[in-house]
Amino acid sequence: MSSVPAQVWRGTTFSIERKQDPAADAVIFRFSGPFTARDMYAALSPAALRNIFESDPPHHKPSVNIFDLTEVPYMDSCGLGLVIGHFVRCQSKGVHLIAAGVVPRVLELFKTTKTDHLFPMTATVDEASSRGTSKSR
């Protein structure tokens, strides 16, 4: 299987890195910085941001998408909307979504909005990759 280079977008304090994990049949989205409307859209249009999440190779869809939120100190309703919107797209394609490394402040947002039960959460990306591998078998 050929290696796909990571795609990276960096704003002033927020970044998203997308990379393939062929061993886990997963795509990992690594977020860093405050996951807020101001930070997300500071240098990237909504359409460009959407493309980061929807650019799977036509011949292969991953069985799992992992959102690595380890380095996200907080999230606003716009960030939450992006996560839930991606969850819905994953569901329609038969792809599992797992959130990894959710910090207490972000977890509180998920609980307050009653979205904490929609998708599994793990402590680490490695744990999410292991769960993803077991789901794809």
Side-chain angles (χ1 to χ4, degrees), residues 57-135:
H59 60 281
H60 176 74
K61 75 172 182 197
S63 64
V64 178
N65 278 195
I66 300 170
F67 274 15
D68 178 1
L69 301 172
T70 307
E71 295 181 20
V72 174
Y74 55 90
M75 178 184 297
D76 70 3
S77 60
C78 190
L80 177 65
L82 193 141
V83 171
I84 300 305
H86 189 69
F87 166 75
V88 170
R89 281 190 298 281
C90 285
Q91 289 290 99
S92 72
K93 296 177 181 180
V95 176
H96 298 280
L97 176 66
I98 301 173
V102 179
V103 299
R105 191 168 173 185
V106 174
L107 181 58
E108 190 58 38
L109 174 66
F110 287 143
K111 287 180 178 180
T112 300
T113 57
K114 300 185 185 331
T115 57
D116 58 314
H117 67 282
L118 292 178
F119 41 83
M121 295 184 204
T122 62
T124 66
V125 172
D126 288 340
E127 185 182 343
S129 293
S130 297
R131 285 180 90 170
T133 304
S134 65
K135 285 187 182 290

